[in-house]
C-alpha cells in the first residue's frame, strides 16, 4: 500500500517591510512548525505588496528580506517549497476565472475595502477615494494563491480569516458550476492554538505592527535591538514593589523565547518585587540575543549573497509552478478552454 498523500499547507507574507519580532512569533514560527506535518508551500506575495509599495527598490529589498527570514528561521527549502508569487504566473490566469465566480456584493463587504470606505465617509470624501482595483480585488488574488496550489489548510492570523473564507466560497461556487468536470479543493484556515499568545505587543504596548511604528526588527543588530528594548514603555512602579507579569510588555516579549519553567521563574521574581524595569529590560534583551544571533548571521549571509537566495527561490518557484500549471490545465479544460 502506498502512503496517503500528505495534506497541503500554504501561506504567504506580503513584503511591505522588514520582518519584525511580531511577524516571527505570530506567523513565521508557527508556520514552520506546521510544515512538519504537511506538504508546505510558503511564498512571498510580491504582487500583493504592489497595492501599497510604489518604490521598486523597496519592493525588491522587502521581498528578499522576507525570503531570507523564512530560511534563517529554519525553513528547510528542500522540504518546504519557498517561492515568489510572481514566479507562478498561472495564479493570475486562475484569478480571472475565479473573479468570474465571485459575487461583487461579497467583495463590497471585505474588511480592508470596507475600512477604507468608512474612513473616507468619515473624512467627507468620495467613498472610493484612493481605493485601487488592486485593493478591491486583493481577496480574489489571495483566493487564487491558495487554490492554485490546491491548499487544504492556510495558517493565518485572525485578520486574514475572512480572506480564507472568501477563498472557500469562491472554490465552492466554481465547484457548483464545474464540479462534475473538475472540483477545486476547498481550503480552510488554521489559526494557531496559542491564539492571543502569538500576538506580541510593541514598544508602546499596542500590538506590534509596522503601521504603529512600534516594532522591533527581527534581525536588527544586537545594539539597536537592546536600545529599542530599553525604550519599551513601563509604568512608575518602584524597584522594590511587585510587578504584574500579565500586563507587562516586557514579560510578553520574554515568554515566546522561554520554556514554561523559565516563564514561571520570571513571573515569581516579578511578583516578589525587588526587580526594577531596567534589570528586566536587560534580561529580555539578553534572551532575544541568545535566540536571534545564530539566525541573524544566516539572514545577513543570505541578504549579502543574492545568488544564493535567488537559487533557493528559483528552485521553489519551479516546483510551485509545476503544481500550479497542472491545476490551471484542469480548470481550463473544465470551463471549455482547452
Ligand atoms: N493577505 C496576506 C497578508 O496580508 C498575505 C497573503 C497573500 C496570503 N496571499 C496569501 C496569506 C495566501 C495566506 C494565503 O498577510
Amino acid at each position: 500500500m502506498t502512503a496517503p498523500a500528505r495534506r497541503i499547507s500554504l501561506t504567504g507574507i506580503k513584503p511591505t517591510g522588514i520582518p519584525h519580532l511580531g511577524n516571527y512569533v505570530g506567523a513565521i514560527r508557527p508556520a514552520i512548525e506546521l510544515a512538519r506535518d504537511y506538504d508546505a508551500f510558503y511564498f512571498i506575495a510580491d504582487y500583493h505588496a504592489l497595492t501599497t509599495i510604489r518604490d521598486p527598490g523597496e519592493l525588491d529589498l522587502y521581498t528578499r528580506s522576507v525570503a531570507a527570514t523564512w530560511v534563517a528561521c529554519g525553513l528547510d527549502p528542500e522540504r518546504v517549497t519557498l517561492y515568489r508569487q510572481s514566479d507562478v504566473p498561472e495564479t493570475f490566469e486562475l484569478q480571472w476565472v475565479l473573479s468570474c465566480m465571485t459575487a461583487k456584493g461579497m467583495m463590497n463587504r471585505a474588511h480592508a475595502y470596507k475600512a477604507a470606505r468608512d474612513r473616507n465617509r468619515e473624512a467627507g470624501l468620495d467613498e472610493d477615494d484612493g481605493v485601487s482595483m488592486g485593493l478591491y480585488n486583493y481577496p480574489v488574488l489571495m483566493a487564487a494563491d491558495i487554490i492554485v496550489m490546491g491548499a487544504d489548510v492556510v495558517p493565518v492570523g485572525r485578520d486574514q480569516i475572512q480572506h480564507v473564507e472568501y477563498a472557500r466560497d469562491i472554490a465552492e461556487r466554481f465547484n457548483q458550476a464545474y464540479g462534475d468536470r473538475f472540483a477545486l479543493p476547498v481550503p480552510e484556515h488554521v489559526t494557531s492554538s496559542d491564539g492571543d499568545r502569538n500576538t506580541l505587543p510593541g514598544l508602546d504596548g499596542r500590538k506590534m505592527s509596522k503601521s504603529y511604528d512600534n516594532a522591533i526588527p527581527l534581525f536588527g543588530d544586537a545594539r539597536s535591538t537592546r536600545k529599542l528594548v530599553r525604550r519599551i514603555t513601563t509604568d512608575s512602579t518602584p524597584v522594590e514593589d511587585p510587578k504584574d507579569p500579565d500586563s507587562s510588555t516586557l514579560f510578553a516579549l520574554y515568554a515566546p523565547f522561554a520554556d514554561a519553567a523559565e516563564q514561571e521563574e520570571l513571573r515569581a521574581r516579578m511578583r516578589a518585587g525587588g526587580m526594577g524595569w531596567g534589570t528586566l529590560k536587560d534580561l529580555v534583551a539578553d534572551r532575544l540575543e541568545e535566540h536571534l544571533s545564530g539566525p541573524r548571521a544566516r539572514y545577513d549571509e543570505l541578504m549579502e549573497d543574492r545568488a544564493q537566495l535567488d537559487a533557493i527561490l528559483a528552485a521553489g518557484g519551479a516546483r510551485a509552478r509545476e503544481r500550479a500549471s497542472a491545476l490551471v490545465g484542469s480548470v481550463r479544460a473544465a470551463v471549455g478552454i482547452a
Side-chain angles (χ1 to χ4, degrees), residues 10-14 43 45 48 85 138 141-143 145-146 154-156 159-160 163-164:
L10 171 141
T11 198
I13 294 187
K14 203 167 39 158
F43 70 99
H48 266 122
Q85 180 186 39
Y138 188 108
L141 181 55
M142 181 157 159
D145 292 330
I146 295 169
V154 185
V156 284
D159 60 324
Q160 296 294 316
H163 285 150
V164 183

PDB file of all heavy atoms in Angstrom, residues 10-14 43 45 48 85 138 141-143 145-146 154-156 159-160 163-164, ligand 1:
ATOM      1  N   LEU A  10      -0.411  26.029   3.117  1.00  0.00           N
ATOM      2  CA  LEU A  10       0.089  27.133   2.299  1.00  0.00           C
ATOM      3  C   LEU A  10      -0.128  28.448   3.021  1.00  0.00           C
ATOM      4  O   LEU A  10      -1.187  28.669   3.621  1.00  0.00           O
ATOM      5  CB  LEU A  10      -0.661  27.163   0.960  1.00  0.00           C
ATOM      6  CG  LEU A  10      -0.418  28.385   0.057  1.00  0.00           C
ATOM      7  CD1 LEU A  10      -0.343  27.966  -1.400  1.00  0.00           C
ATOM      8  CD2 LEU A  10      -1.504  29.447   0.246  1.00  0.00           C
ATOM      9  N   THR A  11       0.898  29.307   3.002  1.00  0.00           N
ATOM     10  CA  THR A  11       0.656  30.661   3.472  1.00  0.00           C
ATOM     11  C   THR A  11       1.587  31.624   2.757  1.00  0.00           C
ATOM     12  O   THR A  11       2.590  31.222   2.171  1.00  0.00           O
ATOM     13  CB  THR A  11       0.773  30.807   4.997  1.00  0.00           C
ATOM     14  OG1 THR A  11       0.128  32.030   5.395  1.00  0.00           O
ATOM     15  CG2 THR A  11       2.205  30.817   5.490  1.00  0.00           C
ATOM     16  N   GLY A  12       1.209  32.902   2.774  1.00  0.00           N
ATOM     17  CA  GLY A  12       2.004  33.920   2.107  1.00  0.00           C
ATOM     18  C   GLY A  12       2.239  35.101   3.024  1.00  0.00           C
ATOM     19  O   GLY A  12       1.446  35.367   3.922  1.00  0.00           O
ATOM     20  N   ILE A  13       3.353  35.767   2.806  1.00  0.00           N
ATOM     21  CA  ILE A  13       3.629  37.006   3.534  1.00  0.00           C
ATOM     22  C   ILE A  13       3.848  38.114   2.511  1.00  0.00           C
ATOM     23  O   ILE A  13       4.592  37.948   1.545  1.00  0.00           O
ATOM     24  CB  ILE A  13       4.865  36.867   4.453  1.00  0.00           C
ATOM     25  CG1 ILE A  13       4.567  35.859   5.567  1.00  0.00           C
ATOM     26  CG2 ILE A  13       5.251  38.221   5.045  1.00  0.00           C
ATOM     27  CD1 ILE A  13       5.647  35.775   6.620  1.00  0.00           C
ATOM     28  N   LYS A  14       3.165  39.218   2.759  1.00  0.00           N
ATOM     29  CA  LYS A  14       3.253  40.361   1.849  1.00  0.00           C
ATOM     30  C   LYS A  14       4.524  41.139   2.190  1.00  0.00           C
ATOM     31  O   LYS A  14       4.707  41.533   3.343  1.00  0.00           O
ATOM     32  CB  LYS A  14       2.014  41.235   2.109  1.00  0.00           C
ATOM     33  CG  LYS A  14       1.624  42.106   0.991  1.00  0.00           C
ATOM     34  CD  LYS A  14       0.236  42.670   1.204  1.00  0.00           C
ATOM     35  CE  LYS A  14      -0.090  43.059   2.623  1.00  0.00           C
ATOM     36  NZ  LYS A  14      -1.167  44.034   2.747  1.00  0.00           N
ATOM     37  N   PHE A  43       5.078  31.286   0.495  1.00  0.00           N
ATOM     38  CA  PHE A  43       5.532  32.192  -0.560  1.00  0.00           C
ATOM     39  C   PHE A  43       5.546  33.649  -0.129  1.00  0.00           C
ATOM     40  O   PHE A  43       4.996  34.022   0.907  1.00  0.00           O
ATOM     41  CB  PHE A  43       4.668  32.007  -1.815  1.00  0.00           C
ATOM     42  CG  PHE A  43       3.257  32.504  -1.658  1.00  0.00           C
ATOM     43  CD1 PHE A  43       2.898  33.753  -2.152  1.00  0.00           C
ATOM     44  CD2 PHE A  43       2.299  31.734  -1.028  1.00  0.00           C
ATOM     45  CE1 PHE A  43       1.605  34.226  -2.007  1.00  0.00           C
ATOM     46  CE2 PHE A  43       0.994  32.203  -0.883  1.00  0.00           C
ATOM     47  CZ  PHE A  43       0.657  33.442  -1.374  1.00  0.00           C
ATOM     48  N   ALA A  45       4.312  37.198  -1.182  1.00  0.00           N
ATOM     49  CA  ALA A  45       3.226  37.733  -2.014  1.00  0.00           C
ATOM     50  C   ALA A  45       3.646  39.089  -2.588  1.00  0.00           C
ATOM     51  O   ALA A  45       3.122  40.141  -2.221  1.00  0.00           O
ATOM     52  CB  ALA A  45       1.945  37.832  -1.199  1.00  0.00           C
ATOM     53  N   HIS A  48       0.992  41.184  -4.361  1.00  0.00           N
ATOM     54  CA  HIS A  48       0.052  41.776  -3.401  1.00  0.00           C
ATOM     55  C   HIS A  48       0.610  43.080  -2.811  1.00  0.00           C
ATOM     56  O   HIS A  48      -0.135  44.018  -2.528  1.00  0.00           O
ATOM     57  CB  HIS A  48      -0.248  40.796  -2.261  1.00  0.00           C
ATOM     58  CG  HIS A  48      -1.473  39.967  -2.486  1.00  0.00           C
ATOM     59  ND1 HIS A  48      -1.438  38.593  -2.503  1.00  0.00           N
ATOM     60  CD2 HIS A  48      -2.758  40.311  -2.688  1.00  0.00           C
ATOM     61  CE1 HIS A  48      -2.672  38.129  -2.720  1.00  0.00           C
ATOM     62  NE2 HIS A  48      -3.484  39.150  -2.836  1.00  0.00           N
ATOM     63  N   GLN A  85       5.396  34.678  -5.350  1.00  0.00           N
ATOM     64  CA  GLN A  85       4.108  34.661  -6.053  1.00  0.00           C
ATOM     65  C   GLN A  85       4.291  34.973  -7.541  1.00  0.00           C
ATOM     66  O   GLN A  85       3.698  34.332  -8.407  1.00  0.00           O
ATOM     67  CB  GLN A  85       3.224  35.726  -5.407  1.00  0.00           C
ATOM     68  CG  GLN A  85       1.847  35.887  -5.985  1.00  0.00           C
ATOM     69  CD  GLN A  85       1.140  37.075  -5.329  1.00  0.00           C
ATOM     70  OE1 GLN A  85       1.747  38.109  -5.063  1.00  0.00           O
ATOM     71  NE2 GLN A  85      -0.126  36.901  -5.025  1.00  0.00           N
ATOM     72  N   TYR A 138      -7.989  42.380  -4.126  1.00  0.00           N
ATOM     73  CA  TYR A 138      -6.993  41.680  -3.295  1.00  0.00           C
ATOM     74  C   TYR A 138      -7.470  40.292  -2.861  1.00  0.00           C
ATOM     75  O   TYR A 138      -6.744  39.293  -3.017  1.00  0.00           O
ATOM     76  CB  TYR A 138      -6.684  42.575  -2.088  1.00  0.00           C
ATOM     77  CG  TYR A 138      -5.563  42.141  -1.203  1.00  0.00           C
ATOM     78  CD1 TYR A 138      -4.350  42.827  -1.183  1.00  0.00           C
ATOM     79  CD2 TYR A 138      -5.694  41.047  -0.339  1.00  0.00           C
ATOM     80  CE1 TYR A 138      -3.320  42.442  -0.353  1.00  0.00           C
ATOM     81  CE2 TYR A 138      -4.660  40.657   0.490  1.00  0.00           C
ATOM     82  CZ  TYR A 138      -3.485  41.356   0.489  1.00  0.00           C
ATOM     83  OH  TYR A 138      -2.458  40.965   1.310  1.00  0.00           O
ATOM     84  N   LEU A 141      -7.234  37.632  -5.660  1.00  0.00           N
ATOM     85  CA  LEU A 141      -5.859  37.188  -5.919  1.00  0.00           C
ATOM     86  C   LEU A 141      -5.409  36.239  -4.814  1.00  0.00           C
ATOM     87  O   LEU A 141      -4.769  35.219  -5.061  1.00  0.00           O
ATOM     88  CB  LEU A 141      -4.908  38.390  -6.022  1.00  0.00           C
ATOM     89  CG  LEU A 141      -3.435  38.051  -6.313  1.00  0.00           C
ATOM     90  CD1 LEU A 141      -3.284  37.196  -7.574  1.00  0.00           C
ATOM     91  CD2 LEU A 141      -2.583  39.313  -6.424  1.00  0.00           C
ATOM     92  N   MET A 142      -5.777  36.540  -3.589  1.00  0.00           N
ATOM     93  CA  MET A 142      -5.401  35.662  -2.478  1.00  0.00           C
ATOM     94  C   MET A 142      -6.084  34.296  -2.617  1.00  0.00           C
ATOM     95  O   MET A 142      -5.462  33.256  -2.365  1.00  0.00           O
ATOM     96  CB  MET A 142      -5.741  36.330  -1.144  1.00  0.00           C
ATOM     97  CG  MET A 142      -5.364  35.503   0.048  1.00  0.00           C
ATOM     98  SD  MET A 142      -5.150  36.521   1.518  1.00  0.00           S
ATOM     99  CE  MET A 142      -5.364  35.264   2.770  1.00  0.00           C
ATOM    100  N   ALA A 143      -7.342  34.291  -3.053  1.00  0.00           N
ATOM    101  CA  ALA A 143      -8.019  33.007  -3.285  1.00  0.00           C
ATOM    102  C   ALA A 143      -7.270  32.221  -4.365  1.00  0.00           C
ATOM    103  O   ALA A 143      -7.085  30.998  -4.249  1.00  0.00           O
ATOM    104  CB  ALA A 143      -9.470  33.249  -3.702  1.00  0.00           C
ATOM    105  N   ASP A 145      -4.036  32.417  -5.073  1.00  0.00           N
ATOM    106  CA  ASP A 145      -2.796  31.909  -4.449  1.00  0.00           C
ATOM    107  C   ASP A 145      -3.042  30.568  -3.771  1.00  0.00           C
ATOM    108  O   ASP A 145      -2.238  29.638  -3.860  1.00  0.00           O
ATOM    109  CB  ASP A 145      -2.323  32.838  -3.313  1.00  0.00           C
ATOM    110  CG  ASP A 145      -1.842  34.191  -3.776  1.00  0.00           C
ATOM    111  OD1 ASP A 145      -1.336  34.287  -4.902  1.00  0.00           O
ATOM    112  OD2 ASP A 145      -1.985  35.158  -2.982  1.00  0.00           O
ATOM    113  N   ILE A 146      -4.156  30.523  -3.048  1.00  0.00           N
ATOM    114  CA  ILE A 146      -4.464  29.360  -2.215  1.00  0.00           C
ATOM    115  C   ILE A 146      -4.912  28.188  -3.092  1.00  0.00           C
ATOM    116  O   ILE A 146      -4.419  27.063  -2.962  1.00  0.00           O
ATOM    117  CB  ILE A 146      -5.581  29.730  -1.206  1.00  0.00           C
ATOM    118  CG1 ILE A 146      -5.073  30.802  -0.225  1.00  0.00           C
ATOM    119  CG2 ILE A 146      -6.086  28.493  -0.466  1.00  0.00           C
ATOM    120  CD1 ILE A 146      -6.167  31.424   0.646  1.00  0.00           C
ATOM    121  N   VAL A 154      -4.633  26.730   5.553  1.00  0.00           N
ATOM    122  CA  VAL A 154      -3.947  28.003   5.392  1.00  0.00           C
ATOM    123  C   VAL A 154      -3.717  28.610   6.776  1.00  0.00           C
ATOM    124  O   VAL A 154      -4.656  29.106   7.403  1.00  0.00           O
ATOM    125  CB  VAL A 154      -4.792  28.975   4.530  1.00  0.00           C
ATOM    126  CG1 VAL A 154      -4.016  30.259   4.253  1.00  0.00           C
ATOM    127  CG2 VAL A 154      -5.209  28.319   3.218  1.00  0.00           C
ATOM    128  N   PRO A 155      -2.495  28.512   7.293  1.00  0.00           N
ATOM    129  CA  PRO A 155      -2.231  29.133   8.595  1.00  0.00           C
ATOM    130  C   PRO A 155      -2.186  30.654   8.451  1.00  0.00           C
ATOM    131  O   PRO A 155      -1.387  31.184   7.678  1.00  0.00           O
ATOM    132  CB  PRO A 155      -0.854  28.579   9.003  1.00  0.00           C
ATOM    133  CG  PRO A 155      -0.219  28.062   7.756  1.00  0.00           C
ATOM    134  CD  PRO A 155      -1.313  27.793   6.761  1.00  0.00           C
ATOM    135  N   VAL A 156      -3.045  31.345   9.169  1.00  0.00           N
ATOM    136  CA  VAL A 156      -3.102  32.814   9.100  1.00  0.00           C
ATOM    137  C   VAL A 156      -3.448  33.395  10.463  1.00  0.00           C
ATOM    138  O   VAL A 156      -3.970  32.706  11.330  1.00  0.00           O
ATOM    139  CB  VAL A 156      -4.192  33.314   8.107  1.00  0.00           C
ATOM    140  CG1 VAL A 156      -3.758  33.163   6.669  1.00  0.00           C
ATOM    141  CG2 VAL A 156      -5.530  32.633   8.356  1.00  0.00           C
ATOM    142  N   ASP A 159      -6.745  38.390  11.391  1.00  0.00           N
ATOM    143  CA  ASP A 159      -7.147  39.418  10.428  1.00  0.00           C
ATOM    144  C   ASP A 159      -7.308  38.864   9.008  1.00  0.00           C
ATOM    145  O   ASP A 159      -7.868  39.522   8.145  1.00  0.00           O
ATOM    146  CB  ASP A 159      -6.120  40.563  10.428  1.00  0.00           C
ATOM    147  CG  ASP A 159      -4.726  40.082  10.044  1.00  0.00           C
ATOM    148  OD1 ASP A 159      -4.356  38.949  10.429  1.00  0.00           O
ATOM    149  OD2 ASP A 159      -4.007  40.821   9.352  1.00  0.00           O
ATOM    150  N   GLN A 160      -6.807  37.633   8.783  1.00  0.00           N
ATOM    151  CA  GLN A 160      -6.865  37.068   7.433  1.00  0.00           C
ATOM    152  C   GLN A 160      -7.916  35.964   7.289  1.00  0.00           C
ATOM    153  O   GLN A 160      -8.061  35.372   6.229  1.00  0.00           O
ATOM    154  CB  GLN A 160      -5.492  36.501   7.037  1.00  0.00           C
ATOM    155  CG  GLN A 160      -4.392  37.548   6.943  1.00  0.00           C
ATOM    156  CD  GLN A 160      -4.635  38.524   5.810  1.00  0.00           C
ATOM    157  OE1 GLN A 160      -5.009  38.144   4.708  1.00  0.00           O
ATOM    158  NE2 GLN A 160      -4.453  39.811   6.091  1.00  0.00           N
ATOM    159  N   HIS A 163     -10.467  36.394   4.522  1.00  0.00           N
ATOM    160  CA  HIS A 163      -9.931  36.120   3.181  1.00  0.00           C
ATOM    161  C   HIS A 163      -9.969  34.629   2.855  1.00  0.00           C
ATOM    162  O   HIS A 163     -10.272  34.243   1.728  1.00  0.00           O
ATOM    163  CB  HIS A 163      -8.493  36.631   3.060  1.00  0.00           C
ATOM    164  CG  HIS A 163      -8.401  38.129   2.941  1.00  0.00           C
ATOM    165  ND1 HIS A 163      -7.327  38.845   3.401  1.00  0.00           N
ATOM    166  CD2 HIS A 163      -9.254  39.025   2.409  1.00  0.00           C
ATOM    167  CE1 HIS A 163      -7.513  40.136   3.146  1.00  0.00           C
ATOM    168  NE2 HIS A 163      -8.684  40.266   2.543  1.00  0.00           N
ATOM    169  N   VAL A 164      -9.647  33.803   3.825  1.00  0.00           N
ATOM    170  CA  VAL A 164      -9.659  32.355   3.559  1.00  0.00           C
ATOM    171  C   VAL A 164     -11.108  31.875   3.390  1.00  0.00           C
ATOM    172  O   VAL A 164     -11.395  31.011   2.556  1.00  0.00           O
ATOM    173  CB  VAL A 164      -8.909  31.566   4.658  1.00  0.00           C
ATOM    174  CG1 VAL A 164      -8.874  30.083   4.316  1.00  0.00           C
ATOM    175  CG2 VAL A 164      -7.490  32.093   4.829  1.00  0.00           C
TER     176      VAL A 164
HETATM  177  N1  LIG B   1      -3.005  38.768   2.718  1.00  0.00           N
HETATM  178  C1  LIG B   1      -1.938  38.146   3.463  1.00  0.00           C
HETATM  179  C2  LIG B   1      -1.442  39.157   4.492  1.00  0.00           C
HETATM  180  O1  LIG B   1      -1.543  40.353   4.276  1.00  0.00           O
HETATM  181  C3  LIG B   1      -0.820  37.701   2.572  1.00  0.00           C
HETATM  182  C4  LIG B   1      -1.258  36.656   1.591  1.00  0.00           C
HETATM  183  C5  LIG B   1      -1.386  36.806   0.245  1.00  0.00           C
HETATM  184  C6  LIG B   1      -1.652  35.320   1.917  1.00  0.00           C
HETATM  185  N2  LIG B   1      -1.808  35.648  -0.312  1.00  0.00           N
HETATM  186  C7  LIG B   1      -1.994  34.712   0.661  1.00  0.00           C
HETATM  187  C8  LIG B   1      -1.765  34.588   3.111  1.00  0.00           C
HETATM  188  C9  LIG B   1      -2.453  33.394   0.619  1.00  0.00           C
HETATM  189  C10 LIG B   1      -2.225  33.270   3.039  1.00  0.00           C
HETATM  190  C11 LIG B   1      -2.564  32.676   1.806  1.00  0.00           C
HETATM  191  O2  LIG B   1      -0.909  38.780   5.492  1.00  0.00           O
END
